Amino acid sequence: MIVQSRTRALWTGLAASIASSWLAASGRAQDVAPLDFSESKHFLGVLGSYGTTERVEEDDNAFLRWHVSKQRRSMSLALRQIPKDLRAYEALAFRFRSGTAMPSGTFRIRIHDRASGYISLDLPAATTDWRSVRIPLGYFEETKPFSPTRVRCVKFVAWDTGPFTLDLDDVTWHRGKDGEASWLGGRGPTVDLSQPDAILGVTVGHSRIERVDDGVAWRVAGGEPWSALNVCSLSRDVRSFESVEVDLRCDRRIGADELRVRFYSTPDDYMGIAFPAVEKPGKWIRMRLRLPEFAPSPRFDPSNASVFEIVGWEVAALGLEMRRVTLHSGKRGPDSWRPSDKELRKRIFGKRYRKAKHIKTRFFDIHTDSRAARGKFAKALDGHVDVVRKHLHLPAVDGRIPVYVFRNAQGYYRYCERALGMTPEQARMTAGLGSGEAFIVYYTEPNASVVVHELTHTLVHRTLGPYGGSWLQEGLAVYVECAFERKNAATEFATDLRNERHTPLEKFIRTTTLAFTDSIRESGVAGRNYRQAGAFLAFLKDGPWKHRYVGVVKALTSERRTPDEQIALLEKRYGVPLAKIEAAWREWGSSRR
């Protein structure tokens, strides 16, 4: 499995909802005038695909209406009357509504340059009432290399939805205070929340923010699946900071772990820590959290941490006031945000951290509390890197990879429960965790196939990327595992294909994770799913279209895509519908002996 598999569904929901955190804020004197569609030159700047656009007048106000009459695979609306150079702008604001309520993530906003690059972000949930949002440009994700000096258009994109109506009005680009660096979102290490130009937002339904004398109040009505308060424009690069300090007070007691504090670099990538318990409601307190104690996700980028967030799931009614968020510099320069080696060993190995030793090899920084892992195990790992790279055609590994080897399975399971929040059952369903950040495993025979499997995850994440879905990531690992055991991944699943004991590809690609299902132990579904993933990967790599393998895998792993987008990419690269890809795989795979 991969580190992210347990919570991939949560990441997906977060990516679909996080954009809704931004409330509208008043513009400045130098902001671009709103694109209000009351003038023909603005309306003529609209390009509609798979639908119609029209200017609608209502209550002495003109706005744009985009109507799509039936469901389509993909559709978009482009606005071309925008600044050609975005560097001096910090946010995009607009009003929108839909004919029917539509959840977060139904639409995605893309800002395109004049080449093929763009930055993108999920649109908040749409309702039948007008809703105003202000989205910092620094929070857009660079999906493809983007040039802010050659902007072509902003698009509203939707997939597999319809019919629908989307109304837009008052599209405004807000200038920043940092000149040509404004679009990057940074304003320095302190955000004074009593200032009217602080960029704030809340997510989900009945949560809201309001101004109070000393800053801002976050009101949670309770009963929501999750709620979050976001503050943008802390220092974008947090590497040189050792702690974050927040002045706050609450209207009730807050239990430990009821809320969490996070820094985001993209909607999917963050580092987080549990919000400390607040025992004295009604009093201002100064809460200081050390950044080295935050747990980062595999792709979190500390040089791009543009959003600070307080988030909770199913939070009871709460009122929380904040007046200042401050970052404090550390003494270790750009390494201040990281835990020291001693802190890291203590976090990983618990009470046995003093027994942990550090071993450097050609590709790895190995930390282990096992004597046995200091010899043959370390040498074997270096050899396994060459095996994985050879079978998957991976590029060279950049830098040494951290590896943590526990003395026994019990220590590893305790770590999974303590640090990763797994249940005991979930922990025992894994034998290792591989990501682009680290490789974590308990000591076993150096040439055990499970070591190669989990190491494959780490190398793929490190050299290509963590995306592509569980079907692809596990398929790559199973393919190498089989090759290491002198088996053929396609042959291992051939009997299942001949007897039609496989999951249809469309459903298979949409499977969030191939592990951690309720019925794994009883039905053996996980084992068959893993074999299917390896067999389909073998088809892509060794089958009739093997010349396209490298480009397809690189495209899928390097960029976050929805299952629909993954299917569209496969169909485009192979030039046939998914059903024909599946038919070709079944014919090829069934003949393997």
Side-chain angles (χ1 to χ4, degrees):
M1 63 163 291
I2 55 177
V3 166
Q4 291 177 304
S5 63
R6 178 180 67 88
T7 47
R8 187 172 298 278
L10 172 59
W11 303 158
T12 304
L14 175 61
S17 302
I18 194 69
S20 60
S21 58
W22 313 111
L23 296 182
S26 58
R28 299 187 181 87
Q30 296 182 343
D31 291 345
V32 170
L35 184 63
D36 61 8
F37 307 106
S38 61
E39 299 182 37
S40 60
K41 67 177 182 179
H42 289 161
F43 182 64
L44 292 176
V46 175
L47 169 66
S49 299
Y50 298 116
T52 60
T53 56
E54 61 177 323
R55 187 176 66 192
V56 178
E57 294 189 7
E58 183 179 281
D59 299 330
D60 297 325
N61 179 55
F63 56 86
L64 174 71
R65 171 162 292 170
W66 179 30
H67 177 69
V68 173
S69 58
K70 63 180 180 179
Q71 182 171 335
R72 299 275 186 173
R73 172 61 68 87
S74 65
M75 60 215 82
S76 64
L77 168 73
L79 306 179
R80 290 180 170 172
Q81 193 78 13
I82 67 174
K84 306 306 179 186
D85 187 338
L86 286 187
R87 291 177 297 176
Y89 297 90
E90 70 176 5
L92 167 64
F94 54 89
R95 297 195 308 144
F96 72 105
R97 70 180 181 185
S98 62
T100 58
M102 307 187 79
S104 299
T106 302
F107 299 96
R108 192 165 179 85
I109 309 172
R110 288 180 174 177
I111 303 176
H112 290 257
D113 62 20
R114 294 191 175 276
S116 59
Y118 62 88
I119 54 178
S120 60
L121 187 72
D122 285 334
L123 189 67
T127 69
T128 55
D129 297 323
W130 283 105
R131 183 175 186 183
S132 298
V133 294
R134 173 172 171 152
I135 307 174
L137 298 183
Y139 199 56
F140 278 74
E141 179 183 3
E142 187 176 55
T143 310
K144 292 186 178 180
F146 174 76
S147 172
T149 62
R150 303 177 67 237
V151 178
R152 178 168 57 92
C153 67
V154 57
K155 284 186 177 181
F156 293 80
V157 186
W159 295 269
D160 291 325
T161 190
F164 67 81
T165 298
L166 182 70
D167 295 339
L168 287 171
D169 195 13
D170 294 335
V171 180
T172 309
W173 300 85
H174 293 276
R175 288 186 178 272
K177 296 180 179 179
D178 299 317
E180 293 186 351
S182 295
W183 79 289
L184 296 174
R187 283 191 189 171
T190 300
V191 175
D192 185 348
L193 302 185
S194 65
Q195 299 301 311
D197 62 346
I199 303 176
L200 303 168
V202 295
T203 65
V204 185
H206 302 297
S207 300
R208 70 181 193 279
I209 58 172
E210 58 187 49
R211 293 289 176 186
V212 292
D213 292 340
D214 293 313
V216 64
W218 179 35
R219 311 292 187 192
V220 180
E224 297 288 351
W226 67 285
S227 304
L229 168 67
N230 302 108
V231 178
C232 194
S233 294
L234 283 163
S235 176
R236 191 177 182 86
D237 189 338
V238 299
R239 290 175 295 180
S240 297
F241 298 101
E242 186 270 341
S243 64
V244 59
E245 187 177 81
V246 184
D247 293 349
L248 59 87
R249 69 179 175 186
C250 308
D251 64 357
R252 66 168 176 83
R253 179 185 177 280
I254 296 179
D257 294 331
E258 186 175 351
L259 301 173
R260 295 193 69 83
V261 178
R262 291 175 172 176
F263 284 90
Y264 282 88
S265 57
T266 76
D268 286 323
D269 306 305
Y270 64 87
M271 65 176 184
I273 194 173
F275 194 95
V278 177
E279 302 290 348
K280 298 180 179 180
K283 293 186 178 182
W284 282 101
I285 61 173
R286 181 160 292 176
M287 180 181 69
R288 189 160 181 168
L289 304 171
R290 296 184 67 251
L291 299 191
E293 295 176 2
F294 281 62
S297 62
R299 299 271 291 186
F300 173 71
D301 181 3
S303 67
N304 187 34
S306 56
V307 173
F308 172 80
E309 175 184 83
I310 298 176
V311 60
W313 288 263
E314 297 181 352
V315 177
L318 170 68
L320 187 151
E321 296 180 31
M322 296 170 55
R323 57 188 178 191
R324 184 175 290 106
V325 180
T326 306
L327 284 168
H328 293 275
S329 299
K331 297 180 179 180
R332 295 187 291 131
D335 288 326
S336 296
W337 77 283
R338 297 180 182 273
S340 65
D341 285 346
K342 180 180 178 180
E343 288 177 312
L344 201 53
R345 288 197 300 270
K346 193 170 183 178
R347 180 185 300 175
I348 298 284
F349 296 105
K351 294 180 180 179
R352 288 185 56 83
Y353 82 95
R354 295 183 185 276
K355 296 184 180 295
K357 302 298 181 182
H358 182 194
I359 305 152
K360 289 187 178 181
T361 72
R362 184 161 52 117
F363 295 113
F364 302 103
D365 277 324
I366 301 176
H367 301 267
T368 180
D369 63 346
S370 167
R371 287 181 178 274
R374 300 174 196 171
K376 294 181 179 180
F377 190 90
K379 294 179 181 178
L381 281 185
D382 275 346
H384 296 337
V385 171
D386 295 328
V387 171
V388 176
R389 289 189 59 207
K390 173 185 175 182
H391 285 294
L392 296 183
H393 309 308
L394 299 181
V397 179
D398 183 20
R400 287 192 179 91
I401 301 170
V403 178
Y404 303 97
V405 185
F406 289 87
R407 180 181 59 161
N408 53 40
Q410 286 67 37
Y412 165 79
Y413 296 150
R414 286 194 295 268
Y415 167 76
C416 290
E417 296 170 32
R418 179 183 70 251
L420 304 180
M422 292 186 186
T423 65
E425 183 183 25
Q426 288 173 338
R428 282 156 179 77
M429 288 179 186
T430 72
L433 300 169
S435 75
E437 288 296 311
F439 174 43
I440 303 172
V441 69
Y442 58 82
Y443 178 75
T444 185
E445 202 279 321
N447 290 319
S449 59
V450 67
V451 174
V452 177
H453 180 106
E454 298 301 337
L455 180 59
T456 300
H457 286 312
T458 294
L459 295 176
V460 169
H461 284 208
R462 190 86 167 191
T463 58
L464 298 178
Y467 304 115
S470 188
W471 68 272
L472 178 63
Q473 292 287 344
E474 295 300 343
L476 292 164
V478 171
Y479 180 89
V480 176
E481 180 184 353
C482 287
F484 183 75
E485 294 179 332
R486 301 185 183 279
K487 298 177 182 178
N488 185 290
T491 303
E492 291 295 302
F493 197 69
T495 302
D496 294 280
L497 273 181
R498 287 193 289 269
N499 295 319
E500 298 186 354
R501 291 196 301 265
H502 70 284
T503 303
L505 279 186
E506 182 171 357
K507 181 180 178 181
F508 193 63
I509 291 172
R510 295 181 188 279
T511 302
T512 303
T513 174
L514 303 189
F516 293 152
T517 60
D518 293 337
S519 59
I520 283 176
R521 291 184 179 273
E522 291 78 12
S523 67
V525 169
R528 187 165 67 246
N529 281 344
Y530 273 56
R531 293 198 309 275
Q532 176 169 335
F536 185 58
L537 194 284
F539 168 73
L540 298 181
K541 184 177 182 298
D542 304 323
W545 294 315
K546 60 185 178 182
H547 59 288
R548 301 184 187 276
Y549 159 78
V550 173
V552 169
V553 170
K554 184 177 180 181
L556 287 170
T557 55
S558 62
E559 179 181 332
R560 179 173 62 87
R561 287 183 169 86
T562 65
D564 286 334
E565 291 174 311
Q566 294 173 31
I567 292 171
L569 186 145
L570 290 172
E571 293 178 336
K572 180 179 180 180
R573 292 298 180 103
Y574 293 114
V576 295
L578 186 66
K580 289 192 175 182
I581 297 175
E582 181 170 353
W585 167 52
R586 291 180 60 187
E587 179 181 356
W588 181 86
S590 298
S591 67
R592 302 300 100 184
R593 301 292 179 182

